[in-house]
């Protein structure tokens, strides 16, 4: 038995029957990180001391039989945009390279209360801007299936860490595909929950009206367990939803017979890699075999999804990133300037800090956002995009009158080569074509491995109604009972 390969449920069984301890499990994962991560480079910070302390605490809880949850003693990794008290939280940006938060995100607290063990913070595209993890200011992460390829972005570090068994589960963040695209590229399961299902307090904001924290796991059943712990309203985030949290494990194992699966015709278009389309079509056939009704549906405004997503992103991101100015968080050019308190020099501090601290992609988006929000262009771009956003949301509402979930690809291709798109931001944006519309609409979407094309993993997404993660888990779990794509491991 290899401890680093275990799912959450397998590890939990061994822990509560005292066949292994959390300290043993955590040490096995830390050893695996030392052996394998120099190749994959998924971690920005490894928290070994904290992990072993949390593991000892978990073992104590298990020994006393007190307060045991399905995540007690289970090692996990977390995307480096989620605040961890006393642990560096960088967003993979130079501007936050040495930033140590004084407080935990709600999600960090919930996982700690459940007894989960944080082994490290994972690499990402700077501030979540990117689809390949190459926009990290520190180093790119590799895809464990082929080290010359990208893991997808922006939660690429978390996806690679889960796929390479460098943690038992991971926590990512999805503003426009950042959980789902790397999950698909790395052959793991990932959920972008309904907007507001998981509190954002302590998540360093990219786009406040899109951002969602979500689980990245070995399979759907594990995903349900993690969502159970992190979901639910919190007073620190007024956009977090009050709705009751169902028992997600209840939907696992239920038959999908008679459930209606929609195929949005706008998502199956020319330009998709043949092997990707073949894998999704085969998944649809399996769902039909499982007794689901298949319907073609239309999401007529799909072609506006990507422009709407990027316009709103530029606008909100430029506003959110205004707080990084050298006077509050992280890097400050203050030291290098002759009379830092001179009022005329405060502008120099802003300019120099932001010049030195932000990478090219971040600067590009801030400039585009400032442009779209400026007087004269606001109505033409930002306001228009918000109106079309409503149309995108209505497309989904109409489709869900006829079906219980939709199936779609994640990306037109499998993982591309490192460096292939870095010189061409527009082609990088285009790889988000299938994932970008769900965030403006706020609906949940679950990525599941569904095959391989040219030896690289293919993922599909199941898109659900607002707050209907259960149905996605039900369908995804049924699929994973009759397929074993999710069990394939990279050749590391
Ligand atoms: N590819 C998306 C972007 O570059 C990913 C954003 C995200 O989900 N954090 O904006």
């Amino acid at each position: 038995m290899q401890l680093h390969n275990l799912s959450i449920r397998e590890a939990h069984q061994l822990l509560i029957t005292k066949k292994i301890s959390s300290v043993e499990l955590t040490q096995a994962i830390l050893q695996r990180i030392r052996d394998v991560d120099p190749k994959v480079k998924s971690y920005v910070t490894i928290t070994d001391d904290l992990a072993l302390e949390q593991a000892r605490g978990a073992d104590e809880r298990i020994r006393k039989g007190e307060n045991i949850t399905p995540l007690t003693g289970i090692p996990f990794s977390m995307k480096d945009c989620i605040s961890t008290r006393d642990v560096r939280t960088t967003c993979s940006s130079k501007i936050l390279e040495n930033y140590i938060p004084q407080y935990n995100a709600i999600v960090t607290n919930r996982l700690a209360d459940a007894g989960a063990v944080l082994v490290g913070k994972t690499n990402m595209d700077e501030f979540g801007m990117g689809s390949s993890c190459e926009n990290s200011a520190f180093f790119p992460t590799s895809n464990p299936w082929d080290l010359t390829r990208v893991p997808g972005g922006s939660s690429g570090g978390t996806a690679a860490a889960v796929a390479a068994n460098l943690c038992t589960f991971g926590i990512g963040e999805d503003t426009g595909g950042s959980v789902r695209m790397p999950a698909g590229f790395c052959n793991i399961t990932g959920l972008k929950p309904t907007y507001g299902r998981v509190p954002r307090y302590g998540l360093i904001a990219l786009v406040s009206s899109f951002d969602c924290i979500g689980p990245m796991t070995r399979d759907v059943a594990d995903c349900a367990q993690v969502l159970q712990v992190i979901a639910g309203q919190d007073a620190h985030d007024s956009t977090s939803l009050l709705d009751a949290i169902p028992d997600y494990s209840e939907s696992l194992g239920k038959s999908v017979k008679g459930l209606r699966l929609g195929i949005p015709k706008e998502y199956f278009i020319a330009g998709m890699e043949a092997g990707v389309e073949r894998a999704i079509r085969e998944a649809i056939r399996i769902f039909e075999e499982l007794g689901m009704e298949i319907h073609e549906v239309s999401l007529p405004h799909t072609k506006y999804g990507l422009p709407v997503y990027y316009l709103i992103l530029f606008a909100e991101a430029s506003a959110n990133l205004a707080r990084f100015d050298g006077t509050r968080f992280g890097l400050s050019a203050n030291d290098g300037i002759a009379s830092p308190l001179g009022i005329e020099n405060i502008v120099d501090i802003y300019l120099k800090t932001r010049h030195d601290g932000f990478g090219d992609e971040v600067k590009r988006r801030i400039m585009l956002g400032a442009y779209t929000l400026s007087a004269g262009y606001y109505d033409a771009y930002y306001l228009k995009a918000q109106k079309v956003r409503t149309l995108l949301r209505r497309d989904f509402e109409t489709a869900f009158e006829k079906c219980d979930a939709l199936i779609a690809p994640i990306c037109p291709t499998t993982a591309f080569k490192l460096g292939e798109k870095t010189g061409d931001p527009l082609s990088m944006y285009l790889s988000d074509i299938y994932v970008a519309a769900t965030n403006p609409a706020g609906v949940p979407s679950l990525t599941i491995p569904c095959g391989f094309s040219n030896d690289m993993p293919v993922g599909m997404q199941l898109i659900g109604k607002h707050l209907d993660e259960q149905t996605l888990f039900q369908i995804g779990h049924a699929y994973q009972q009759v397929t074993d794509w999710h069990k394939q491991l990279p050749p590391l």
Side-chain angles (χ1 to χ4, degrees):
M1 176 181 57
Q2 297 207 293
L3 295 184
H4 55 254
N5 287 356
L6 301 173
S7 68
I8 295 176
R9 283 134 31 246
E10 289 164 343
H12 176 70
Q13 268 315 310
L14 294 172
L15 285 167
I16 56 164
T17 52
K18 304 202 174 66
K19 296 207 171 78
I20 60 169
S21 69
S22 175
V23 168
E24 281 169 311
L25 176 61
T26 304
Q27 270 163 344
I29 294 278
L30 290 170
Q31 186 57 46
R32 171 94 180 156
I33 294 174
R34 281 191 289 272
D35 294 343
V36 172
D37 205 45
K39 283 186 246 166
V40 179
K41 296 196 178 150
S42 52
Y43 283 94
V44 171
T45 304
I46 297 162
T47 49
D48 7 17
D49 291 344
L50 173 69
L52 289 169
E53 184 192 316
Q54 288 183 327
R56 282 191 290 270
D59 284 336
E60 187 61 15
R61 273 161 80 157
I62 294 168
R63 195 183 60 76
K64 290 195 190 138
E66 270 170 15
N67 229 337
I68 304 171
T69 79
L71 299 189
T72 303
I74 310 285
F76 75 103
S77 69
M78 191 149 70
K79 187 176 185 178
D80 210 16
C81 55
I82 302 172
S83 301
T84 39
R85 185 174 51 234
D86 299 336
V87 175
R88 192 166 84 108
T89 300
T90 67
C91 282
S92 291
S93 178
K94 273 205 265 177
I95 214 160
L96 290 179
E97 189 167 1
N98 299 310
Y99 167 60
I100 298 181
Q102 295 165 9
Y103 64 96
N104 276 335
I106 301 299
V107 165
T108 312
N109 276 337
R110 286 186 179 166
L111 289 161
D113 292 347
V117 172
L118 178 69
V119 289
K121 305 290 295 286
T122 45
N123 199 23
M124 55 188 282
D125 288 293
E126 185 175 0
F127 286 104
M129 299 184 186
S131 313
S132 68
C133 216
E134 291 164 294
N135 290 338
S136 164
F138 307 139
F139 44 79
T141 296
S142 285
N143 190 310
W145 288 86
D146 175 349
L147 298 174
T148 67
R149 291 178 186 273
V150 304
S154 63
S155 313
T158 310
V162 175
N165 295 327
L166 307 172
C167 55
T168 308
F169 72 94
I171 298 290
E173 172 278 337
D174 192 307
T175 303
S178 280
V179 161
R180 290 163 289 157
M181 171 155 345
F185 279 9
C186 293
N187 205 52
I188 65 164
T189 299
L191 176 75
K192 171 223 168 305
T194 306
Y195 178 78
R197 179 77 290 187
V198 178
R200 287 180 296 114
Y201 180 79
L203 166 68
I204 298 176
L206 173 54
V207 181
S208 308
S209 74
F210 295 167
D211 296 346
C212 297
I213 298 175
M216 302 178 80
T217 54
R218 306 216 191 291
D219 59 23
V220 172
D222 275 7
C223 196
Q225 299 215 310
V226 178
L227 184 65
Q228 197 75 51
V229 169
I230 61 175
Q233 197 264 349
D234 187 280
H236 291 85
D237 173 5
S238 59
T239 62
S240 65
L241 299 170
L242 281 161
D243 305 63
I245 307 158
D247 178 352
Y248 292 115
S249 61
E250 254 178 22
S251 57
L252 306 177
K254 275 198 201 156
S255 160
V256 295
K257 217 178 173 132
L259 284 182
R260 299 156 308 166
L261 185 66
I263 307 178
K265 63 171 192 241
E266 292 80 4
Y267 281 66
F268 291 83
I269 43 167
M272 210 192 310
E273 189 177 308
V276 172
E277 171 145 17
R278 210 175 310 122
I280 312 273
R281 297 270 178 210
E282 175 60 16
I284 295 171
R285 198 191 58 75
I286 290 174
F287 286 125
E288 201 166 5
E289 239 173 57
L290 289 170
M292 293 185 78
E293 286 175 24
I294 313 292
H295 297 276
E296 190 181 84
V297 295
S298 172
L299 300 170
H301 299 95
T302 296
K303 64 171 181 281
Y304 304 117
L306 199 66
V308 163
Y309 166 76
Y310 272 99
L311 277 170
I312 297 175
L313 178 144
F314 296 151
E316 282 196 43
S318 76
N320 271 328
L321 295 179
R323 73 189 55 150
F324 302 105
D325 60 6
T327 68
R328 281 170 278 213
F329 309 89
L331 184 78
S332 174
N334 204 343
D335 303 338
I337 291 173
S339 70
L341 298 179
I343 200 74
E344 68 276 15
N345 274 343
I346 191 95
V347 173
D348 291 342
I349 295 171
Y350 296 161
L351 293 179
K352 189 159 182 344
T353 302
R354 291 166 71 80
H355 172 272
D356 295 350
F358 288 138
D360 288 348
E361 181 60 28
V362 176
K363 285 179 187 153
R364 180 180 299 120
R365 294 192 190 196
I366 290 173
M367 286 193 288
L368 286 163
Y371 179 78
T372 57
L373 289 176
S374 57
Y377 294 107
Y378 179 94
D379 288 355
Y381 294 115
Y382 180 73
L383 194 64
K384 188 67 139 294
Q386 290 290 16
K387 288 179 178 169
V388 183
R389 176 184 194 166
T390 303
L391 299 177
L392 289 172
R393 209 192 58 227
R394 286 195 195 138
D395 276 2
F396 283 105
E397 282 166 6
T398 312
F400 286 127
E401 284 166 12
K402 279 193 269 165
C403 17
D404 302 293
L406 305 174
I407 181 169
I410 294 289
C411 183
T413 64
T414 52
F416 40 90
K417 288 271 184 191
L418 284 157
E420 191 179 321
K421 295 187 195 237
T422 40
D424 183 359
L426 212 54
S427 91
M428 191 73 90
Y429 297 171
L430 277 172
S431 55
D432 298 341
I433 186 138
Y434 296 133
V435 279
T438 37
N439 295 66
V443 290
S445 167
L446 178 68
T447 293
I448 298 174
C450 67
F452 287 80
S453 171
N454 302 320
D455 296 329
M456 291 306 287
V458 179
M460 61 170 156
Q461 57 176 333
L462 296 169
I463 305 170
K465 295 177 196 163
H466 261 261
L467 289 174
D468 192 16
E469 283 82 1
Q470 315 76 299
T471 302
L472 300 183
F473 290 148
Q474 180 183 354
I475 300 171
H477 185 70
Y479 178 83
Q480 290 187 337
Q481 297 310 103
V482 296
T483 57
D484 63 1
W485 302 117
H486 62 289
K487 293 191 182 139
Q488 310 294 317
L489 293 175
L492 270 172

